[in-house]
Amino acid sequence: MKHAEAKHRIEELVKQLKRYDYEYHVLDSPTISDVEYDRLRRELERLEHEHPDLVRDDSPTQRVGGEVLEQFEKVRHEVPMLSLDNAFDEGDLRAFDARLQKRVGSVSYSVEPKIDGLAASLRYRNGRLERAATRGDGAIGEDITHNVRTIRSVPLQLDRSVDLEVRGEIYMSKSAFLKLNEARKAQGMSPFKNPRNAAAGTMRQLDSRVAARRELDMFVYSVFVPDAEADQPQHEILSMLRELGFKVNPHILRAGDIDTVIDAVRNLEATRQDFPYDIDGVVVKVNERHLYEHIGYTVKSPRWAIAYKFQAEEAMSRVRSIHVQIGRTGQATPVATLEPVELAGSTVSRATLHNEDYVAKKDIRIEDYVVVRKAGDIIPEVVGVVFERRSGTEKPFQMPHSCPQCQSALKRIEGEADHFCPNPECPARNVQQLIHFASREAMNIEGLGIRLIERLYDEGHLKRIPDIYRLKEQRQQLISHSGLGERSVDKLLENIEASKTNSLEQLLFGLGIRHVGKKVSRLISSHFPSIDAILESSREELLAIEEIGPKIADSVVTFFASEANRRLLEELKALGLTMRYHQTGSDQDTLKDLTFVLTGSLQTMTRREARDRIESLGGRVSSSVSGNTDYLLAGDNPGSKLEKARRRDVEVLDEAAFERLIDTRRK
Ligand code: IVH
């Protein structure tokens, strides 16, 4: 292609891809398929490769990182980056409002989720991102431009040639965080404690390729224009930032008075778990920015804003007893039974103590007062002892020598902290394996839930996984014994039969191989045509798959080297399980190209489960109703999204209609 022609095409492609990036990363509603996007992107890469002089600074290809710094440059903030005063309860918010009333009369407010990440400032010159910096001590921060350029929702070049500085919060979504930690664990690296640490750790990297791989994001919430008083109200500033192409949090509300603020704060606190990223509070700002100077500042913080901190996700409780729980892989985990305590919206009465070393290191004893923490969807854990409250009568915990279920001697693998019950026939292990195998995430056998499995196990109908597929031979006994009724039994048996054609990925995950979670199962299945191929694969072949480290590879090889496990697979094959990756009518296309929005509280699943389900069926979930929304899945108390959906003529589904939709599309 001629130079002039290439130049023109590159400009066109950059423009198009920027638009698609914007739709995907900022608006959360893509308008083209991934395949089409990749095609355009490859064309651009090819042209840029042929004409290196035509590579534009704002090309999407320039976000992959590459720049490696020697050290961070210090940056002085022209306008200091202040922090906020805190409010801990309703009273603090009312007092904040009263102070403002007294000083300037009635004001309205902007109520903004407080994103738990790290504050950053972005400076644009002639519309081009020129410098990004951390907050640092508020006066001096560090230059992190190389890393911020990799964040896909941050525009590199604005449509208007303006000078301005925007500020906001860089964060990592919960899903990106889990994915990152899974990969780190697989590579034997220590996981990050929470998404904020992961985001901060990423920004501290001198090598921008690390940031490019890690899916960071940024919401912006304020702007400064040099030499201009930004006098418009905060909500107009936010709209302007949206129009400029920045990602602004969609849950920001305008409130006319403090009662409305308090309602909004309560609502955010109640739904905080549903957010795809961590929020640790709510920032309440006076909406009328022209009053800011008049309202004034303390040494550290403005008087026109306050940060309401959510109730801690930590609470104090007391250890009643400690027992050992056996998981499906045989892992023996000490679990504390606690005096029930309210923790961020639910009652907690059990918490994990991880393993023997953890208990010893933290010196956790029976009857101790302890601090319990719940983080996201993770199981509550005891994080430490309140030593001041020790009386001296607390009893230390001894890891038992034998499995509490089958009495086999527990084993500890060298170099690992966990104990295992080595007995493959251990009832505790078997029940957990069956539960896992049938679970929604694995073989998704509807009707075969925890309680039924436990009962069928106790009554001798089920012992090992293959027995699930032999239940049909016991149809009569099931009908007369299980208390299920003929129709339920038949439905159950039907679901069991249907699961035989599940994907290889589901089966692999269902087998419960150590270190082989959902994502790893998907990865491995996509590299092998059948279970036999995986069974025969070598450690090296597995290691050749990107993202698979020695820990996983060893675990897979060990699993399939076991005579018992090979027999298990032979049996399953004989029972008619397909065990192939690609099958006709694969579930992954069931909801393809459909965008869902979730609202209200669902009865049959949590919102997270609903999201996982939709995504595993190839659909998309977006956080707000827009022109691209196909369905609103609404539970009880649906709120404003429902009205918005009705206004936009978006079809509203309850849970039953949602299931029917899936059924019809499967056919
Ligand atoms: S306004 C002077 N708005 O919370 C006003 N901050 O202590 C500065 N944050 O350092 C902050 N979301 O890192 C503001 N919507 C939001 C925010 C927000 C998160 C963080 C930010 C700031 C800290 C406040």
Side-chain angles (χ1 to χ4, degrees):
M1 198 185 280
K2 288 226 193 63
H3 196 264
E5 212 178 315
K7 182 164 189 277
H8 181 70
R9 182 63 186 148
I10 286 178
E11 270 165 22
E12 215 169 56
L13 285 167
V14 167
K15 198 166 155 211
Q16 268 182 335
L17 287 167
K18 271 173 75 174
R19 171 92 211 149
Y20 296 137
D21 272 346
Y22 172 74
E23 285 169 351
Y24 187 94
H25 295 283
V26 179
L27 300 183
D28 196 10
S29 59
T31 55
I32 59 160
S33 70
D34 293 355
V35 178
E36 179 65 4
Y37 180 91
D38 291 342
R39 197 183 61 74
L40 295 171
R41 168 127 186 168
R42 274 198 304 274
E43 184 185 348
L44 177 62
E45 278 165 9
R46 189 174 45 80
L47 285 173
E48 287 181 342
H49 182 73
E50 285 163 12
H51 304 274
D53 58 314
L54 293 178
V55 177
R56 294 166 54 106
D57 194 38
D58 62 338
S59 166
T61 61
Q62 298 307 295
R63 290 189 188 268
V64 293
E67 199 180 343
V68 183
L69 305 183
E70 293 279 318
Q71 59 169 58
F72 289 105
E73 297 294 327
K74 294 275 182 249
V75 160
R76 176 172 289 279
H77 298 296
E78 274 164 46
V79 183
M81 291 183 80
L82 301 176
S83 66
L84 294 178
D85 198 12
N86 289 324
F88 294 100
D89 54 30
E90 197 184 308
D92 291 345
L93 288 174
R94 292 197 184 278
F96 167 67
D97 181 59
R99 284 195 298 274
L100 288 164
Q101 295 265 3
K102 202 160 148 212
R103 179 141 188 102
V104 291
S106 273
V107 292
S108 68
Y109 294 103
S110 178
V111 183
E112 312 183 357
K114 186 167 178 303
I115 314 298
D116 198 8
L118 60 147
S121 128
L122 313 180
R123 204 169 66 191
Y124 288 82
R125 191 81 63 213
N126 297 324
R128 177 177 170 273
L129 174 62
E130 183 189 63
R131 191 198 72 192
T134 61
R135 175 171 181 275
D137 63 5
I140 294 177
E142 284 179 330
D143 190 320
I144 48 166
T145 316
H146 64 304
N147 285 332
V148 170
R149 284 178 62 88
T150 67
I151 302 177
R152 308 282 287 258
S153 58
V154 170
L156 300 175
Q157 175 73 50
L158 307 173
D159 286 342
R160 276 180 257 160
S161 171
V162 282
D163 290 354
L164 44 82
E165 178 178 337
V166 300
R167 289 183 181 173
E169 198 83 355
I170 295 176
Y171 67 95
M172 187 179 285
S173 72
K174 294 180 193 169
S175 59
F177 167 72
L178 292 175
K179 213 162 91 182
L180 171 63
N181 268 355
E182 212 177 302
R184 284 174 76 86
K185 277 191 244 159
Q187 287 163 5
M189 292 161 84
S190 60
F192 284 109
K193 226 173 90 194
N194 53 47
R196 193 200 38 240
N197 287 1
T202 307
M203 282 299 124
R204 269 199 301 275
Q205 298 287 329
L206 291 164
D207 181 348
S208 59
R209 280 167 303 192
V210 178
R213 281 196 298 267
R214 281 195 192 164
E215 284 182 64
L216 287 164
D217 215 330
M218 181 171 184
F219 281 123
V220 307
Y221 48 68
S222 92
V223 64
F224 302 97
V225 181
D227 308 321
E229 287 293 326
D231 259 2
Q232 301 118 292
Q234 170 71 356
H235 75 269
E236 281 178 21
I237 296 274
L238 295 174
S239 314
M240 179 188 106
L241 287 169
R242 268 194 199 104
E243 266 162 44
L244 280 168
F246 290 99
K247 185 159 174 166
V248 174
N249 191 284
H251 300 279
I252 295 178
L253 291 175
R254 204 174 138 199
D257 55 36
I258 198 68
D259 287 323
T260 317
V261 169
I262 289 166
D263 275 352
V265 167
R266 283 213 191 103
N267 187 27
L268 286 169
E269 183 154 19
T271 53
R272 64 186 291 199
Q273 298 285 353
D274 292 338
F275 281 70
Y277 39 83
D278 280 346
I279 55 177
D280 60 341
V282 183
V283 179
V284 181
K285 294 174 190 166
V286 169
N287 190 34
E288 290 78 19
R289 284 178 56 130
H290 68 275
L291 295 174
Y292 282 10
E293 284 310 308
H294 184 52
I295 297 170
Y297 298 80
T298 68
V299 193
K300 283 192 344 229
S301 48
R303 292 184 203 273
W304 40 260
I306 198 161
Y308 173 89
K309 292 278 188 145
F310 287 148
Q311 210 188 82
E313 295 200 74
E314 280 185 359
M316 194 164 63
S317 178
R318 196 166 184 198
V319 178
R320 280 183 175 161
S321 60
I322 300 177
H323 69 278
V324 167
Q325 198 174 300
I326 306 293
R328 59 173 204 268
T329 54
Q331 190 168 353
T333 310
V335 175
T337 302
L338 304 167
E339 286 176 6
V341 59
E342 283 302 307
L343 215 159
S346 68
T347 309
V348 169
S349 53
R350 281 149 52 91
T352 179
L353 299 169
H354 302 290
N355 53 54
E356 185 184 29
D357 289 354
Y358 187 85
V359 181
K361 196 175 99 203
K362 302 261 173 175
D363 191 16
I364 300 163
R365 303 181 187 182
I366 299 157
E367 285 174 18
D368 258 337
Y369 286 90
V370 288
V371 176
V372 193
R373 180 191 299 153
K374 198 169 75 176
D377 295 315
I378 302 162
I379 315 163
E381 60 171 353
V382 170
V383 286
V385 172
V386 188
F387 289 106
E388 303 86 79
R389 297 194 64 169
R390 243 194 201 162
S391 68
T393 60
E394 294 78 8
K395 294 179 263 317
F397 164 74
Q398 284 275 310
M399 190 75 190
H401 295 295
S402 56
C403 169
Q405 281 281 332
C406 72
Q407 274 70 50
S408 310
L410 293 180
K411 285 209 173 122
R412 184 168 167 172
I413 300 175
E414 255 207 47
E416 290 193 21
D418 296 326
H419 280 79
F420 283 90
C421 169
N423 174 14
E425 309 294 326
C426 172
R429 284 183 64 169
N430 288 343
V431 170
Q432 292 302 325
Q433 273 162 9
L434 289 164
I435 292 172
H436 173 72
F437 185 83
S439 69
R440 180 169 276 163
E441 307 260 314
M443 294 295 269
N444 192 17
I445 305 178
E446 224 172 297
L448 196 55
I450 298 177
R451 261 193 244 138
L452 183 61
I453 291 178
E454 283 173 346
R455 210 166 66 218
L456 294 176
Y457 189 90
D458 287 342
E459 289 169 3
H461 294 290
L462 276 183
K463 264 204 127 46
R464 301 165 52 249
I465 290 169
D467 298 335
I468 295 176
Y469 296 95
R470 297 191 187 103
L471 277 177
K472 59 181 176 194
E473 296 158 20
Q474 306 181 46
R475 180 173 173 274
Q476 274 315 322
Q477 288 108 297
L478 286 179
I479 292 169
S480 44
H481 274 81
S482 68
L484 275 183
E486 185 165 349
R487 287 208 15 220
S488 310
V489 168
D490 284 337
K491 184 77 206 148
L492 173 67
L493 294 175
E494 224 175 86
N495 294 341
I496 291 174
E497 280 306 298
S499 75
K500 287 183 176 174
T501 53
N502 280 352
S503 65
L504 179 54
E505 168 190 335
Q506 284 175 289
L507 176 70
L508 193 62
F509 179 54
L511 292 175
I513 305 169
R514 266 192 101 200
H515 308 306
V516 180
K518 243 175 85 169
K519 190 182 147 209
V520 173
S521 304
R522 180 170 311 162
L523 206 62
I524 296 181
S525 322
S526 65
H527 281 79
F528 295 95
S530 67
I531 197 85
D532 287 332
I534 301 177
L535 206 107
E536 302 306 337
S537 68
S538 66
R539 185 173 187 270
E540 286 62 41
E541 278 174 87
L542 288 161
L543 282 173
I545 303 175
E546 208 186 338
E547 290 183 71
I548 291 205
K551 219 158 113 183
I552 298 175
D554 286 340
S555 177
V556 173
V557 170
T558 313
F559 183 90
F560 289 113
S562 136
E563 201 39 55
N565 290 331
R566 285 179 167 257
R567 229 181 10 248
L568 167 76
L569 284 165
E570 280 310 316
E571 266 178 82
L572 290 178
K573 210 185 289 172
L575 285 161
L577 274 76
T578 37
M579 312 184 158
R580 299 218 147 256
Y581 179 59
H582 294 290
Q583 56 203 302
T584 45
S586 154
D587 256 6
Q588 284 159 29
D589 287 345
T590 311
L591 300 178
K592 195 165 176 266
D593 294 332
L594 295 181
T595 300
F596 290 77
V597 172
L598 310 176
T599 185
S601 42
L602 303 171
Q603 299 304 311
T604 59
M605 52 194 156
T606 65
R607 291 251 279 257
R608 191 194 168 91
E609 282 165 356
R611 168 183 278 270
D612 284 352
R613 182 109 187 273
I614 292 169
E615 287 175 352
S616 73
L617 295 170
R620 266 193 304 267
V621 177
S622 126
S623 53
S624 57
V625 176
S626 74
N628 293 308
T629 312
D630 294 293
Y631 296 101
L632 180 77
L633 173 56
D636 292 342
N637 305 319
S640 63
K641 283 184 194 166
L642 181 62
E643 282 158 44
K644 202 161 163 198
R646 295 221 165 106
R647 256 185 281 130
R648 287 179 173 263
D649 258 347
V650 169
E651 189 170 338
V652 180
L653 305 174
D654 62 11
E655 284 160 80
F658 172 66
E659 296 300 338
R660 282 197 298 276
L661 174 77
I662 293 174
D663 278 348
T664 348
R665 291 186 61 98
R666 270 198 179 128
K667 283 178 191 135

